[in-house]
Amino acid sequence: MSFHTLAWKGDRLVLLDQTLLPGAEVYREYTDYRGVAEAISGMVVRGAPAIGVTAAFGIALAARELGRDGAEELCRRLEPVYETLLATRPTAVNLSWAVERMRRRAEGLVGRPGEEAIEALEVEALAILREDVAANRRLGRLGAELLPTRATVLTHCNAGALATAGYGTALGVVRAAVEAGKQIEVLADETRPLLQGARLTAWELLRDGIPVTLLTDNMAGYRLGRGGVDAVLVGADRIAGNGDVANKIGTYPLSVLAREHGVPFYVAAPLSTIDFSVEDGSRIPIEERSGLEVTHWAGVPVAPAGVSVWNPAFDVTPASNVSAIITEAGIARPPYRESLRLLAQASPAP
Ligand code: MRU
């Protein structure tokens, strides 16, 4: 991969600033968890798995700052750190998944000296990073088998290397299919309001030499109706126990269109995106972001001053519209309450 979404340099975290893509490739360094939290809420880094991995390194950085007096004291001092990181973005469950995993690791170190706890938390964050890439590669290979040898795939938002520690989920499936010798063309929805499809998906696929055609969100229905699209393939921010899927706003209408036109609708996500504590999609918290993201582009108004705006960042696709959920442990098919549980049980917890 010719770029790094995030990289750990031993004493600092380096993030590719995604707010500046595709215009500029700028890497920013973070040595403090507060800066990391701002990077997540400001979407310097975004995409559910990438947010989780970044938060883990935020905790590793906080441990360096707060850990000198032993693990027990560190655990106490980390509580507000967890709160700060968890408050950044509510929908992607990978964030709380990673924070809880780091918390468990820290609590398991009680009684150990500070230096040991600091190192152990760094090692844990690195493990989360490595496991994310490995999960993406594995789910990519499994998902690639669902695609025909020549396939046109429609995707929404960015569920690629930029949204993960590397390789991607939905785009990981595309990459694995290409690596397996399949001819894949990607149709990338622009993804209003922040244009993750245009700015990020198109950028990273062009970087890899994978054919990509950009369309605005409102063109997807016409394109699906004309035929020749073999699959809709998206990522997820949180999957409820019943298989309902929260993903970037605009995913739900795409699932309705896919169903209408008989096109399979696949969701690719690691097991860390499944939240069994949430019964169904109606319980998933949906982030609402500033109306300025809708009324302005690059600081230029595109709507009259004073208009009221609703800007939910995600929507929920009902499980009934999802043909399959591709995970690193296997491919789940309806009914998801059973199939997702079986996959999670078959995969040993880290
Ligand atoms: O608001 P974003 O850019 O963080 O939203 C990202 C998405 O909706 C992705 O599709 C999702 O996180 C899956 S990323 C592998």
Side-chain angles (χ1 to χ4, degrees):
M1 199 123 279
S2 62
F3 60 90
H4 287 288
T5 303
L6 49 93
W8 177 247
K9 299 289 178 190
D11 59 353
R12 60 196 192 281
L13 179 67
V14 180
L15 298 177
L16 171 56
D17 187 344
Q18 299 190 33
T19 66
L20 301 178
L21 288 173
E25 193 175 333
V26 174
Y27 291 86
R28 300 198 186 280
E29 298 196 343
Y30 297 86
T31 52
D32 170 323
Y33 78 88
R34 299 165 198 86
V36 169
E38 275 167 29
I40 297 172
S41 46
M43 296 179 71
V44 168
V45 62
R46 31 65 54 200
I51 291 172
V53 177
T54 300
F57 283 111
I59 294 164
L61 285 171
R64 293 172 67 86
E65 181 186 326
L66 306 169
R68 307 281 156 203
D69 299 323
E72 192 163 351
E73 185 57 22
L74 174 62
C75 283
R76 213 179 47 73
R77 293 178 184 165
L78 280 177
E79 285 304 321
V81 175
Y82 302 143
E83 292 314 309
T84 303
L85 289 165
L86 288 170
T88 53
R89 298 199 69 194
T91 304
V93 75
N94 306 65
L95 173 60
S96 51
W97 175 89
V99 168
E100 288 314 315
R101 180 163 158 183
M102 293 296 281
R103 186 204 298 265
R104 276 199 309 277
R105 186 70 188 104
E107 287 171 354
L109 292 159
V110 167
R112 312 302 306 169
E115 286 302 333
E116 190 180 322
I118 293 167
E119 195 188 326
L121 289 176
E122 176 182 337
V123 168
E124 191 71 6
L126 283 166
I128 291 174
L129 181 152
R130 267 198 313 276
E131 287 167 26
D132 184 55
V133 180
N136 293 337
R137 288 195 174 272
R138 178 144 178 77
L139 73 83
R141 276 196 300 277
L142 294 172
E145 288 169 22
L146 297 173
L147 301 179
T149 321
R150 291 169 68 99
T152 300
V153 168
L154 176 60
T155 192
H156 190 70
C157 193
N158 172 265
L162 287 168
T164 60
Y167 204 68
T169 57
L171 298 190
V173 172
V174 168
R175 286 196 166 91
V178 171
E179 284 165 17
K182 297 189 176 184
Q183 277 181 38
I184 310 291
E185 172 171 12
V186 177
L187 303 173
D189 263 3
E190 174 186 48
T191 317
R192 275 280 286 157
L194 292 182
L195 308 189
Q196 288 93 331
R199 296 188 305 105
L200 307 177
T201 294
W203 183 81
E204 72 165 84
L205 290 177
L206 286 175
R207 274 285 176 110
D208 270 13
I210 296 173
V212 54
T213 300
L214 180 63
L215 50 157
T216 66
D217 303 337
N218 51 358
M219 296 170 186
Y222 179 51
R223 185 65 187 78
L224 284 163
R226 283 171 56 134
V229 178
D230 299 285
V232 175
L233 183 54
V234 296
D237 282 81
R238 191 185 298 223
I239 300 174
N242 72 339
D244 289 350
V245 175
N247 191 50
K248 179 53 55 194
I249 190 77
T251 302
Y252 162 58
L254 209 50
S255 77
V256 176
L257 288 165
R259 195 185 175 96
E260 169 72 15
H261 295 293
V263 174
F265 184 92
Y266 298 132
V267 175
L271 292 174
S272 56
T273 304
I274 303 170
D275 185 354
F276 289 103
S277 76
V278 161
E279 275 283 297
D280 62 54
S282 68
R283 309 289 171 97
I284 298 177
I286 299 295
E287 176 183 10
E288 292 195 15
R289 296 184 59 88
S290 163
L292 290 173
E293 291 178 352
V294 178
T295 56
H296 288 67
W297 181 250
V300 178
V302 293
V307 69
S308 67
V309 175
W310 184 46
N311 185 21
F314 302 95
D315 60 23
V316 177
T317 297
S320 53
N321 284 0
V322 178
S323 312
I325 298 176
I326 305 159
T327 78
E328 71 274 32
I331 295 176
R333 299 274 186 182
Y336 291 110
R337 208 176 284 287
E338 284 80 20
S339 57
L340 290 175
R341 276 259 173 236
L342 283 175
L343 289 183
Q345 279 161 9
S347 164

